[in-house]
Amino acid sequence: MAVVAGVDSSTQSTKVLIWDTESQQVLRQGSASHPEGTSVNPERWWEAFISAAQQAGGLVDVEAISVGAQQHGLVTLDQNGTVVRDALLWNDTRSAAAANQLVEENGLDFWVESSGCAPVASLTITKLRWLVDQEPQSWSRVAAICLPHDWLSWRIQGIANIHALFTDRSDASGTAYLDARTGEYRYDLLSHALRIPEREARHLVLPKVVPPQGVGGVVARDIPEIGLRAGTKIAPGCGDNAGAALGLGLRVGEAAISIGTSCVVSVVSDKPVIDKSGSVTGFMDATGNWLPLTCTLNGTQVMDKTAALLGVDLSTFDQLALQVSDTDGLQMIPYFQGERTPNLPDATAEIRGMTLHNYDPAHLARAAVEGLVGLIDYALQAIQGCGVEINKATLIGGGAKSPAVTEILPVKLGIDIEVAPRGEYVALGAAKQAGDLIR
């Protein structure tokens, strides 16, 4: 039996999954929550990882490990490897004005052609511009820039030297300073965002981009509280969306629709996808292909908040939404946290079309579900508009458990949708990647 560990350090929690590469079975697993909010001390991720690994029965039998994590966040380190300030997460929109500046300065086409990404508030490069402009004292201490999965992999590795940082192509492609075609860092883009000469930008430490199936590092010392042994191989890891694609076993032309904290539509492509409108980000995947993706800021909280307003649990909420065949003109615009797709970071939610006939719990529940489904439909059409063919789609995430969503979504999208069995697909994808290191 060859045993590996896959980690999913998401926005809300860390999951650790122990997987047998021979039987392809999950042996055990654990989880631990993260603090709420859009900025967090990365040490909380480490604490959650330790707790989740302990809950999973420890890692004493693990031969390799890989970390998948939330994308786009900004972790800054000084020359000693100390965290400079709390990490800014993908859903922190304080850099919206900085994103607009970058587009105004170079134009949308420039950024999309260079990095495959349009600067929006969720992306790392916009958070860097915000940091330089709004917290110059913090920026003056920065020696290394990395992403959440890079940082956690580095902590597991146990080498304080910031030059030991590593990443993978899937997560790095979500920074907007990695070339969408070659997978190499674009220091000209980075220097522009930081308002410094390119030669200075090249002195910053960025994580080494490790190719698929490569070894990112090796655990340098025993971690006795979880039984992880020195010498254990660490895979490159991946962004959460690439991890889910690995876990689901998606092939070219197959899509994943994830409904969780955010809604994500991603499709495996065998070629780069450059969307001039900026709606679709041309990410890479963790296998050597590409993973064009659209993401919303709003997800299951649309239903959670509406259920809470109605004073019902989610099961009753679903029943209410399915009591009526349509909304009878009631419309919910679910931009509760602003929105990324479409790019409206300052937008707010609205309810429109209220009448005495449709202003009741059933129609409001239906409007919430249809509002969420409308976001997903917009995201899917944006990818299809880039010439990407979608042969099938698999639904994952907390929203996949909603009967209302699974009934309404296929009708709205007009494609067959398979609901994946309940599972931790990001952690499973990371485990599969770790398994490649010991074959």
Side-chain angles (χ1 to χ4, degrees):
M1 184 167 64
V3 178
V4 297
V7 180
D8 173 15
S9 182
S10 70
T11 310
Q12 297 176 320
S13 64
T14 291
K15 278 81 69 177
V16 174
L17 184 150
I18 312 302
W19 193 61
D20 178 4
T21 64
E22 295 177 2
S23 68
Q24 308 238 317
Q25 295 296 311
V26 175
L27 301 178
R28 54 191 192 273
Q29 56 189 312
S31 65
S33 62
H34 292 169
E36 295 183 358
T38 62
S39 64
V40 63
N41 184 336
E43 284 296 326
R44 303 292 86 77
W45 300 332
W46 174 254
E47 293 166 1
F49 165 67
I50 295 296
S51 179
Q54 290 173 337
Q55 190 181 114
L59 308 182
V60 67
D61 52 347
V62 165
E63 297 180 45
I65 187 170
S66 177
V67 177
Q70 56 180 303
Q71 292 189 253
H72 314 311
L74 172 62
V75 182
T76 49
L77 307 175
D78 68 15
Q79 60 184 358
N80 298 314
T82 302
V83 173
V84 172
R85 71 166 329 275
D86 283 358
L88 297 177
L89 306 188
W90 65 273
N91 57 351
D92 190 298
T93 60
R94 73 186 72 185
S95 61
N100 291 336
Q101 287 175 6
L102 293 174
V103 173
E104 290 169 2
E105 290 164 3
N106 282 358
L108 182 62
D109 284 355
F110 170 83
W111 290 103
V112 171
E113 283 289 343
S114 301
S115 69
C117 303
V120 292
S122 57
L123 298 189
T124 314
I125 200 165
T126 69
K127 301 178 191 303
L128 284 167
R129 170 60 72 87
W130 178 89
L131 184 65
V132 167
D133 288 351
Q134 302 300 323
E135 294 186 1
Q137 290 183 328
S138 295
W139 172 248
S140 68
R141 297 173 50 207
V142 174
I145 299 165
C146 61
L147 302 169
H149 119 258
D150 311 341
W151 184 87
L152 186 54
S153 296
W154 179 70
R155 283 287 270 124
I156 292 170
Q157 189 178 193
I159 300 176
N161 190 335
I162 56 177
H163 292 277
L165 286 162
F166 63 88
T167 190
D168 90 304
R169 65 200 296 272
S170 72
D171 210 7
S173 66
T175 61
Y177 48 83
L178 191 86
D179 191 291
R181 297 175 176 84
T182 67
E184 297 178 353
Y185 285 121
R186 288 287 300 268
Y187 286 93
D188 57 329
L189 305 183
L190 187 62
S191 66
H192 180 83
L194 296 174
R195 304 186 191 277
I196 60 176
E198 185 174 334
R199 65 180 180 277
E200 291 184 23
R202 289 183 178 274
H203 289 148
L204 291 165
V205 174
L206 300 180
K208 176 184 177 182
V209 182
V210 180
Q213 290 82 51
V215 177
V218 175
V219 177
R221 79 286 181 256
D222 291 344
I223 307 178
E225 55 263 57
I226 57 175
L228 190 63
R229 297 165 296 168
T232 303
K233 293 179 180 178
I234 309 172
C238 50
D240 52 3
N241 299 295
L246 277 177
L248 291 168
L250 298 186
R251 299 180 180 181
V252 172
E254 296 179 347
I257 299 174
S258 175
I259 308 178
T261 307
S262 63
C263 296
V264 179
V265 180
S266 57
V267 185
V268 179
S269 171
D270 58 1
K271 58 183 181 297
V273 174
I274 305 297
D275 176 23
K276 292 293 184 69
S277 76
S279 296
V280 179
T281 46
F283 295 153
M284 297 175 173
D285 78 350
T287 71
N289 285 315
W290 281 260
L291 195 70
L293 176 150
T294 50
C295 178
T296 72
L297 282 179
N298 295 280
T300 51
Q301 290 166 323
V302 174
M303 297 187 294
D304 295 343
K305 289 294 185 181
T306 307
L309 177 67
L310 295 173
V312 300
D313 59 22
L314 289 175
S315 176
T316 305
F317 171 83
D318 278 311
Q319 294 173 19
L320 285 170
L322 294 175
Q323 279 182 12
V324 291
S325 60
D326 57 41
T327 67
D328 194 26
L330 189 66
Q331 183 181 19
M332 179 180 288
I333 310 298
Y335 299 154
F336 288 92
Q337 303 181 84
E339 189 46 66
R340 171 175 167 178
T341 307
N343 183 29
L344 299 168
D346 298 320
T348 57
E350 299 177 41
I351 298 176
R352 300 173 178 172
M354 292 176 285
T355 67
L356 292 176
H357 180 70
N358 65 23
Y359 192 54
D360 57 43
H363 285 97
L364 183 58
R366 180 87 184 195
V369 175
E370 291 199 4
L372 181 60
V373 166
L375 286 178
I376 299 169
D377 183 43
Y378 184 95
L380 184 76
Q381 289 189 40
I383 295 178
Q384 291 173 320
C386 295
V388 178
E389 184 176 348
I390 300 176
N391 301 318
K392 62 177 278 191
T394 302
L395 183 62
I396 60 174
K401 295 181 286 187
S402 164
V405 169
T406 56
E407 179 174 317
I408 296 170
L409 187 64
V411 177
K412 179 68 173 177
L413 269 55
I415 60 174
D416 291 332
I417 296 176
E418 174 183 305
V419 179
R422 187 174 180 179
E424 299 293 348
Y425 288 100
V426 176
L428 178 60
K432 288 181 177 181
Q433 189 189 66
D436 289 338
L437 300 185
I438 61 173
R439 286 179 183 159

